[in-house]
Amino acid sequence: ATPMSIMVATGSGATRGVLFRDASAIENFCKVDTLIVDKTGTLTEGHPSFHSVIAAQGFSETDVLLLAASLDQGSEHPLAAAIVTAARERGLALEPVTDFESSTGIGVVGVVTAKKLEGNAKLMEQLGIRTETLATQAEELRQQGASVMFLAVDGQLVGLLAVADPIKSTTIAALRSLTDNNIRVIMATGDGLTTAQFVGQSLGITEIYGEVKPADKLALVERLQREGRCVAMAGDGINDAPALAQANIGIAMGTGTDVAMNSAQVTLVKGDLQGIVKAKNLSHAVMKNIKQNLFFAFFYNVLGVPIAAGVLYP
């Protein structure tokens, strides 16, 4: 079906774009009672900035940043982009990366200067690389709301990098409106549980899932649907696509990836969560109007057809 673009005006007079893929999305939106939200790019700006780097013994912070940025050149993730930007701002000459592989929700690997690099906590766990020496510092950074990524070279931990992503200015008000509309809000993110809890609790979200992979988000949607919930999923990345496609209503941020938007039934053009509230109100209004029209059409035909058939003919 050809998508329909519906512009919804805010009270300030500014316009917010809500793009419905088809009429069924408008019809079903008013039934939503549960919303699952990703963190990066959905609750937050999606434009993270570099926070800090901590080197393991025997390595320098400059070495860790240079290696991590060289590896992350092959990644499209916003957190990776922040690390690459920080290295270039410091005048570091990045090395070329080869044999780059990215496992969504797990981590990245590649070869830089003949060394095999692995990045991200999940990957360290899978490969059995010990991270205990920097565990305390990592936890402190997570408690500040930063996302932490470990870096290993040839199977040895060399350091960690932290990236912070500010919360969107409209997020708190949007979540409050959703709660007032009796919508159950759940946060599911690939970030560490400590970081997820810090961000979620600061926003008043009580159901929080951290360190979730794309398959975990999909399983969460399916479980809620089996419980009889009408589930909406809001996200902006490739790792959100399976859950967006499975949800009763998939909601993509217009500031996110094309894969996410192609998997969703609704796109918030400006990536503003307030659009969810407006879309739900619009759905209610449209369905109310349709029901009124059907009632009057039925009432008109009940009276008009017998008259047209001659019931009042003398």
Side-chain angles (χ1 to χ4, degrees):
T2 302
M4 297 177 292
S5 181
I6 301 176
M7 303 306 295
V8 185
T10 65
S12 63
T15 57
R16 301 289 184 184
V18 181
L19 181 66
F20 289 89
R21 184 180 294 276
D22 50 40
S24 64
I26 300 177
E27 179 182 0
N28 292 328
F29 212 112
C30 61
K31 303 173 186 176
V32 169
D33 56 21
T34 303
L35 173 66
I36 302 173
V37 290
D38 179 42
K39 181 181 80 69
T40 304
T42 304
L43 297 176
T44 64
E45 293 286 354
H47 302 292
S49 57
F50 181 75
H51 184 282
S52 58
V53 56
I54 299 176
Q57 188 173 5
F59 298 89
S60 70
E61 293 183 354
T62 300
D63 291 338
V64 175
L65 179 58
L66 174 59
L67 288 171
S70 297
L71 174 63
D72 284 334
Q73 289 178 100
S75 175
E76 296 181 352
H77 197 284
L79 300 182
I83 293 173
V84 173
T85 299
R88 287 174 173 161
E89 287 176 347
R90 287 162 174 75
L92 300 181
L94 304 187
E95 300 287 348
V97 57
T98 59
D99 298 329
F100 179 83
E101 294 181 15
S102 176
S103 299
T104 304
I106 297 177
V108 294
V109 298
V111 176
V112 176
T113 61
K115 300 181 180 70
K116 185 176 182 180
L117 274 60
E118 299 100 1
N120 211 354
K122 273 286 184 185
L123 196 57
M124 301 297 110
E125 182 181 327
Q126 284 190 2
L127 298 175
I129 299 173
R130 302 178 68 87
T131 59
E132 292 87 347
T133 54
L134 297 178
T136 301
Q137 296 95 317
E139 192 66 13
E140 289 174 353
L141 289 165
R142 292 184 182 117
Q143 289 174 358
Q144 299 171 28
S147 298
V148 175
M149 289 144 287
F150 289 101
L151 178 68
V153 175
D154 294 330
Q156 179 186 0
L157 180 69
V158 299
L160 64 80
L161 303 100
V163 175
D165 190 7
I167 294 170
K168 292 179 182 178
S169 59
T170 56
T171 294
I172 294 177
L175 292 175
R176 188 179 300 118
S177 297
L178 291 166
T179 303
D180 291 343
N181 277 274
N182 299 316
I183 294 179
R184 173 183 172 188
V185 180
I186 302 170
M187 185 175 81
T189 174
D191 282 359
L193 184 57
T194 302
T195 301
Q197 289 176 335
F198 176 88
V199 174
Q201 290 171 1
S202 68
L203 295 172
I205 301 174
T206 56
E207 292 186 69
I208 301 165
Y209 295 87
E211 300 179 359
V212 296
K213 298 186 287 292
D216 298 327
K217 293 183 181 181
L218 175 60
L220 176 60
V221 172
E222 292 174 336
R223 176 171 65 79
L224 291 167
Q225 289 174 329
R226 287 195 298 270
E227 294 173 1
R229 313 289 298 193
C230 185
V231 182
M233 168 72 196
D236 77 323
I238 295 174
N239 59 339
D240 299 314
L244 289 170
Q246 174 63 33
N248 299 92
I249 295 291
I251 305 169
M253 302 295 111
T255 51
T257 63
D258 291 341
V259 173
M261 285 183 274
N262 288 334
S263 301
Q265 293 97 335
V266 177
T267 298
L268 307 182
V269 177
K270 295 183 181 292
D272 185 350
L273 282 180
Q274 291 278 20
I276 297 178
V277 181
K278 299 179 186 301
K280 186 169 177 62
N281 291 337
L282 178 63
S283 175
H284 278 291
V286 170
M287 295 311 298
K288 180 180 179 180
N289 184 261
I290 289 173
K291 290 175 181 177
Q292 287 175 342
N293 289 342
L294 289 173
F295 170 78
F296 285 115
F298 177 76
F299 182 73
Y300 170 83
N301 283 307
V302 166
L303 293 179
V305 170
I307 293 174
V311 71
L312 299 181
Y313 191 74

